Amino acid sequence: MDVDREQFKQLLKDKGLKVTNQRVLVLETLASCPGKHLTAEEIYELVKVDCPEIGLATVYRTIQMLLELHLVDKIHLDDGYVRYEIGSAGGAAKHHHHHLICLSCGKVISFEDDLLEELEKKITDKEGFFVVDHEVKLYGHCKECGGKLIEKK
Amino acid sequence: MDVDREQFKQLLKDKGLKVTNQRVLVLETLASCPGKHLTAEEIYELVKVDCPEIGLATVYRTIQMLLELHLVDKIHLDDGYVRYEIGSAGGAAKHHHHHLICLSCGKVISFEDDLLEELEKKITDKEGFFVVDHEVKLYGHCKECGGKLIEKK
DNA sequence: CTTTATGCAAAAACTTTGCACCGAG
DNA sequence: CTCGGTGCAAAGTTTTTGCATAAAG
């Protein structure tokens, strides 16, 4: 499932781009960490394990390319870092998942929900704005931290 | 309505912070541009009109403080800039508005909707995660650009 | 008066760019 | 072979920090 390595190689070829070890490794690193939200630096460190000679600039250039191919999504979890995660691409509909961000411990929980369909329809009707994609962040306190908060108070 | 100047001064005093011209000006600048989403640099330029001696560092420090006081919200509109806007604070409930981002022309439309209440309840029940606030970004094509797209195709 | 805030400049953090060399096609 | 990609280092950006001075309480 997900982004298949061969499929990716083919996509690069179709676009006239070259298939390099670095590009494959960056994509695979992101693909193998679906829950995690990696920064450029973290991707760099992970890829260096298999390819120690890679440069940080290549990681940035590759991420840029993956963003343009919509294979990867950029996210801001408001901790001051720009993060990336493998996109929902591949398949049919937008399966963009959402993020629950714990204000106490900083934990990020991903979850799927298409409850926004209704909202999107409403917007198209009301504003004449055709919605293609969305990103939702919910801030709050997770189960563990919520408990602690009550204890303290 | 909104964030009252006197209310702000009192809040600073209560927190043991000093009321300076710079702080008041930064807040007022943000308060007077409710629809706009200003970058630190833009705020700096605007405040300089009334207070030419202000430094960019003070703007950053003041924004930081306003964020901690929850008077201002930080937003990423994915154009590479960090932006700020006056918070929904003051009043009772969370009136966090959402953003429609046009992928064609970059225009940002703000709109209010509390349709997420339902979603938030669901999450609290299902994940044990207590939602405090949320941020929603919807990407798509605005009325004008949507029309143009059809013409071109 | 005391303590916090400011302005400036320097530093830090993150990302992009230029260029010679390397490697995929 | 040819052209795009890579690594390195240098340059850009944006944001933070240190410190002496200025101003609020």
Side-chain angles (χ1 to χ4, degrees), chain B residues 20-81:
Chain B
T20 66
N21 195 28
Q22 288 88 331
R23 287 177 174 174
V24 173
L25 280 169
V26 168
L27 184 75
E28 293 207 323
T29 296
L30 282 160
S32 65
C33 302
K36 290 189 167 187
H37 310 93
L38 304 171
T39 63
E41 196 74 36
E42 286 166 349
I43 296 168
Y44 174 55
E45 291 302 329
L46 287 169
V47 174
K48 265 211 294 202
V49 174
D50 293 307
C51 179
E53 69 274 25
I54 197 173
L56 183 54
T58 301
V59 173
Y60 275 106
R61 282 185 286 230
T62 305
I63 291 170
Q64 198 59 45
M65 186 203 71
L66 293 173
L67 285 172
E68 280 160 23
L69 294 175
H70 298 288
L71 293 174
V72 162
D73 294 325
K74 183 193 276 193
I75 29 176
H76 296 275
L77 299 178
D78 301 276
D79 58 352
Y81 293 98

Side-chain angles (χ1 to χ4, degrees), chain A residues 60-72:
Chain A
Y60 276 106
R61 283 186 284 229
T62 305
I63 291 170
Q64 199 58 47
M65 186 203 71
L66 294 172
L67 285 171
E68 279 159 23
L69 294 175
H70 297 289
L71 293 174
V72 162

